[in-house]
Amino acid sequence: VSASATIRDVAQHAGCSIATVSRVMNASGPVSIEMRDRVLAAIAHTGFRPSEIGRQLALRQSRNIGVVVPSLTNPVFATCLAGVQQAARQDGHNTIIAQSDYNPDRERAAITSLLAERPAALILTLCNPSDPQTRAFVASLPVPAVLMFNEPYAGSPPTVSVHNHEAGHRLARSLLDHGHQRIAFVSGSMAQSDRASARYQGFCAALSAAGLVPQPVYEVNFMEADDAADLSGLLTSQRPSGIVASNDLLALGVIAGLRRLGLQVPADVSVAGFDGIRIGRLIEPGLATIEWHAHALGVSAAAMALELAHSGTTTRVLRLDHQFRPGGTLAAAPVEAICDVEPRISSTSNPINEPLSGVSS
Amino acid sequence: VSASATIRDVAQHAGCSIATVSRVMNASGPVSIEMRDRVLAAIAHTGFRPSEIGRQLALRQSRNIGVVVPSLTNPVFATCLAGVQQAARQDGHNTIIAQSDYNPDRERAAITSLLAERPAALILTLCNPSDPQTRAFVASLPVPAVLMFNEPYAGSPPTVSVHNHEAGHRLARSLLDHGHQRIAFVSGSMAQSDRASARYQGFCAALSAAGLVPQPVYEVNFMEADDAADLSGLLTSQRPSGIVASNDLLALGVIAGLRRLGLQVPADVSVAGFDGIRIGRLIEPGLATIEWHAHALGVSAAAMALELAHSGTTTRVLRLDHQFRPGGTLAAAPVEAICDVEPRISSTSNPINEPLSGVSS
DNA sequence: CTGTTAGCGCATTCAA
DNA sequence: TTGAATGCGCTAACAG
């Protein structure tokens, strides 16, 4: 029982050939009832568990799906991964993971390492799919691949994502509607994330439409929830009354960074983020954010990957819905902030369309 | 290039036998310089990546390590996993994951599924290792296994964990030192976690030593950070002035639950947890907690597992250090709470040994 | 130093 | 309905 039995042991015990055993295991051919029972008994008796490895070699394909995410410690990726794993399991697949640590070189190494396992499919959240080198590498992948969370591009693998651009627009609108006119966009290293880029583009579009001139992204050295974000360079003469962070984890770091500088949220500065991580709802004030169903994103990615592996084709681009989640970190702009700003072009009135009814829902 | 080349293709291109190719790949035998170069060139030319599957079958062992955790959405497990994955990668191993969802049946199914991959080793955070059925199952595992985060027991696999009991004691002391006398312990389903049990035991020991009678665990239906914890049954006539949650994620849920009931933290009730998840430092008030290095826990678990897989032996029990992390959620007990309590046995004075100097460090 | 050969555990023709 | 034989890609003796 300890040294795992092989299909031959089972065949011996059942008094049949290994072909028959294989047939009852996979229902891949006709087997008489009595023989089936004999084999089943032999399997139970020997404690036989078919080796995936043998199976994989024979079929030249595994039942594993490989997943690469930038990091596991950002809850939004962990949640995606949970969804992937659950969906994969329900289809009889195991999940092999790798982290790119937001590093394109590591990313390539990680994918290469996964490829050695001959996975049935790959699910990738790429650092920077706009990089030509990355695109070429992804295009040459010898197994079906699906992009998760990334922005699809011409020639990209099938992609399940969210409306990053719209989300950026939507969040900017919320701040504008609360009377904010000086709004900063804070991000980690921008070159590393097409998600952050797309959100920023949407953000800019909303500001421009409101007659404001968007400021460049304020980049902070903040990959994970290690520390408060260093905002000393942002809060100079013209302090923003609102800050949009490129994701929720960073938003928490921004709030901590503001606090360190003696500023209150939302009294002095409003803050909002993207992702809708669960923890954002538990804290006080609740984190205003654009929320999407990260778990469903993972489930969908796995579904697409498996469909691709099986039938060779699937939806090309799937975008999951998002919604604005109000939170106490986003409040009306302070009066002085509204006053001391010189309108850039023609500041239309910005009625507060979505007053917050207290805390997060 | 697309349809992955095999070792035979390489041998052909290099004009040698597959054995020679294997030798240069694994440095497993003498090869002349010129031949080595020829093979290397052929590998580069064909884009050959050796199939782990073929290798695994030949060696009857894979370079994968399997990991089972209760959940991926609790940051403490995600962080452990990140550590495991990093350490495994550095040793040339891939990481296959599975979640038990805090369900012993799922747990067994998950392990069984991983075993089919013939992993070099298994790293397990078990739901409930005190369950005889679980113990028997774990004891019969055909591959090396390591327990992570669980309490070791007689006959258990090698274990890397923390001092759960001491941590519980330490945290209770902190509350006592802040003048709290009515302290509740809140946990998710208790039967599911030996970690929570051990922490509670330590908690009880500290209370007893202080002459207090510990109350039974207050169990809430709270597996993940989905919602505020329902504390309606806890905050009745004799409201506790302090609450210890069995982990940080739950502590956040408890704080949210208190807020929903109109109670302030720490003004009305102090709260503390275990794990030291990073996010606890970013929020305000900072979460008081017992902090351990979850990432290092994962790294150590992987190191032990790999050592076990390689040499067949390793440290039996490794306990990582912890430390108390002060936080604004833990403050001095309200005066009325101290007064209206009737001393159970002989309430010794509880000087505030560790006044909090503001927010979290 | 290099090539030949024999499996590893399984799925799968092809015969019977 | 069943069995025998073949090969998946690779490693590891064993010869040469």
Side-chain angles (χ1 to χ4, degrees):
Chain A
V1 179
S2 180
S4 34
T6 77
I7 197 175
R8 246 171 287 272
D9 300 324
V10 175
Q12 178 133 21
H13 275 264
C16 67
S17 73
I18 63 171
T20 301
V21 176
S22 178
R23 275 191 277 262
V24 344
M25 285 196 309
N26 307 321
S28 56
V31 181
S32 68
I33 298 291
E34 53 183 343
M35 180 58 97
R36 202 182 66 91
D37 290 344
R38 284 226 312 274
V39 170
L40 256 28
I43 287 177
H45 176 67
T46 57
F48 170 67
R49 296 279 118 199
S51 161
E52 269 298 311
I53 300 186
R55 189 191 133 81
Q56 285 166 10
L57 189 54
L59 296 183
R60 276 171 301 288
Q61 187 191 25
S62 80
R63 274 167 159 167
N64 298 329
I65 86 154
V67 186
V68 180
V69 291
S71 152
L72 291 167
T73 49
N74 184 331
V76 75
F77 295 130
T79 304
C80 278
L81 194 59
V84 168
Q85 202 272 318
Q86 179 187 306
R89 161 168 62 79
Q90 287 180 358
D91 204 53
H93 291 251
N94 279 318
T95 305
I96 310 184
I97 58 164
Q99 310 171 73
S100 68
D101 301 330
Y102 298 94
N103 175 339
D105 293 329
R106 275 257 62 246
E107 180 173 271
R108 220 167 308 126
I111 295 175
T112 301
S113 173
L114 291 183
L115 285 179
E117 307 284 350
R118 303 294 187 264
L122 242 31
I123 295 175
L124 310 172
T125 298
L126 298 172
C127 300
N128 182 18
S130 63
D131 170 43
Q133 199 177 352
T134 297
R135 288 201 185 181
F137 182 69
V138 169
S140 71
L141 254 26
V143 302
V146 165
L147 258 39
M148 178 171 72
F149 240 131
N150 287 114
E151 290 292 313
Y153 53 86
S156 76
T159 302
V160 50
S161 188
V162 292
H163 290 97
N164 285 305
H165 188 280
E166 280 186 23
H169 192 280
R170 177 72 182 76
L171 199 50
R173 281 299 322 158
S174 285
L175 270 85
L176 292 168
D177 291 347
H178 280 77
H180 293 275
Q181 302 238 31
R182 203 183 294 283
I183 311 174
F185 192 98
V186 176
S187 173
S189 183
M190 203 62 179
Q192 306 292 40
S193 171
D194 61 334
R195 305 174 290 290
S197 290
R199 291 165 199 172
Y200 177 64
Q201 297 305 328
F203 167 88
C204 289
L207 261 59
S208 297
L212 299 175
V213 176
Q215 298 299 303
V217 169
Y218 184 79
E219 293 194 8
V220 293
N221 183 17
F222 182 93
M223 300 248 95
E224 294 299 333
D226 294 315
D227 267 314
D230 177 10
L231 303 173
S232 52
L234 180 63
L235 304 173
T236 51
S237 53
Q238 304 203 328
R239 183 216 296 172
S241 70
I243 296 179
V244 171
S246 64
N247 65 64
D248 281 355
L249 197 54
L250 177 57
L252 297 179
V254 164
I255 293 170
L258 290 168
R259 193 184 311 124
R260 174 182 293 179
L261 295 171
L263 293 171
Q264 299 294 318
V265 174
D268 298 313
V269 183
S270 284
V271 176
F274 298 86
D275 287 344
I277 61 177
R278 299 305 184 99
I279 286 178
R281 299 204 301 208
L282 293 177
I283 64 173
E284 174 64 28
L287 181 59
T289 185
I290 297 290
E291 178 176 53
W292 28 67
H293 198 326
H295 191 273
L297 206 61
V299 170
S300 301
M304 283 177 65
L306 292 170
E307 187 185 356
L308 201 57
H310 182 262
S311 68
T313 175
T314 184
T315 316
R316 224 198 80 66
V317 175
L318 180 64
R319 299 261 193 181
L320 267 53
D321 279 342
H322 63 260
Q323 63 177 46
F324 173 70
R325 186 168 88 200
T329 60
L330 171 51
V335 177
E336 65 265 52
I338 296 183
C339 293
D340 84 345
V341 74
E342 65 278 18
R344 293 293 192 281
I345 301 177
S346 68
S347 157
T348 64
S349 71
N350 287 308
I352 299 183
N353 292 332
E354 298 164 336
L356 302 183
S357 56
V359 199
S360 62
S361 70
Chain B
V1 180
S2 179
S4 35
T6 78
I7 197 175
R8 244 170 287 271
D9 300 324
V10 176
Q12 178 133 22
H13 277 262
C16 67
S17 73
I18 62 172
T20 300
V21 176
S22 177
R23 275 191 277 262
V24 344
M25 285 196 307
N26 307 320
S28 56
V31 181
S32 68
I33 300 289
E34 55 184 340
M35 179 59 97
R36 203 183 64 91
D37 291 343
R38 284 226 314 274
V39 170
L40 256 26
I43 288 178
H45 176 67
T46 56
F48 170 68
R49 295 280 119 198
S51 162
E52 270 298 311
I53 300 184
R55 189 192 135 80
Q56 285 165 11
L57 188 53
L59 296 183
R60 276 172 301 289
Q61 187 191 26
S62 79
R63 274 166 158 169
N64 298 328
I65 86 155
V67 186
V68 180
V69 291
S71 151
L72 291 168
T73 51
N74 184 331
V76 75
F77 295 129
T79 303
C80 278
L81 195 58
V84 168
Q85 203 271 319
Q86 179 188 305
R89 161 169 62 79
Q90 287 180 358
D91 204 52
H93 290 252
N94 279 317
T95 304
I96 311 184
I97 58 163
Q99 309 172 74
S100 69
D101 300 331
Y102 297 95
N103 175 339
D105 293 330
R106 274 258 62 246
E107 179 172 271
R108 219 166 309 128
I111 295 175
T112 301
S113 173
L114 291 183
L115 285 178
E117 308 283 350
R118 302 295 186 263
L122 242 31
I123 295 176
L124 310 172
T125 297
L126 298 172
C127 299
N128 181 18
S130 62
D131 170 42
Q133 198 178 352
T134 297
R135 289 202 184 180
F137 183 69
V138 169
S140 72
L141 253 29
V143 303
V146 165
L147 259 38
M148 178 172 70
F149 240 131
N150 288 114
E151 289 293 312
Y153 53 86
S156 76
T159 302
V160 50
S161 187
V162 291
H163 290 96
N164 286 305
H165 188 279
E166 280 185 24
H169 191 281
R170 177 72 182 75
L171 199 49
R173 282 299 321 160
S174 285
L175 271 85
L176 291 168
D177 291 347
H178 280 78
H180 294 275
Q181 303 239 29
R182 203 183 293 283
I183 311 173
F185 192 99
V186 176
S187 172
S189 185
M190 202 62 179
Q192 308 291 42
S193 170
D194 61 333
R195 303 174 291 289
S197 290
R199 292 165 200 173
Y200 177 63
Q201 298 305 326
F203 166 88
C204 289
L207 261 58
S208 297
L212 298 175
V213 177
Q215 299 298 303
V217 170
Y218 184 79
E219 293 194 8
V220 294
N221 182 17
F222 181 93
M223 301 248 96
E224 294 301 333
D226 295 314
D227 268 314
D230 178 10
L231 302 173
S232 52
L234 180 62
L235 305 172
T236 52
S237 52
Q238 305 203 325
R239 183 218 294 172
S241 70
I243 297 180
V244 171
S246 63
N247 66 63
D248 280 355
L249 197 54
L250 178 56
L252 297 179
V254 163
I255 293 170
L258 289 168
R259 192 184 313 122
R260 176 183 292 179
L261 295 172
L263 294 171
Q264 299 293 318
V265 174
D268 297 315
V269 183
S270 284
V271 176
F274 299 86
D275 287 344
I277 60 177
R278 299 305 183 96
I279 286 179
R281 298 204 301 207
L282 293 177
I283 64 174
E284 175 63 28
L287 181 58
T289 186
I290 298 289
E291 179 176 52
W292 28 67
H293 199 325
H295 191 274
L297 207 60
V299 170
S300 301
M304 283 177 67
L306 292 169
E307 188 184 358
L308 200 58
H310 181 262
S311 68
T313 175
T314 185
T315 315
R316 224 199 80 66
V317 175
L318 180 63
R319 300 262 193 180
L320 266 55
D321 278 341
H322 62 260
Q323 63 177 47
F324 173 69
R325 186 168 87 200
T329 60
L330 171 51
V335 176
E336 64 264 53
I338 296 182
C339 293
D340 84 344
V341 73
E342 65 278 18
R344 294 292 193 280
I345 301 178
S346 68
S347 156
T348 65
S349 71
N350 289 307
I352 299 182
N353 292 333
E354 297 164 339
L356 302 182
S357 56
V359 198
S360 63
S361 71

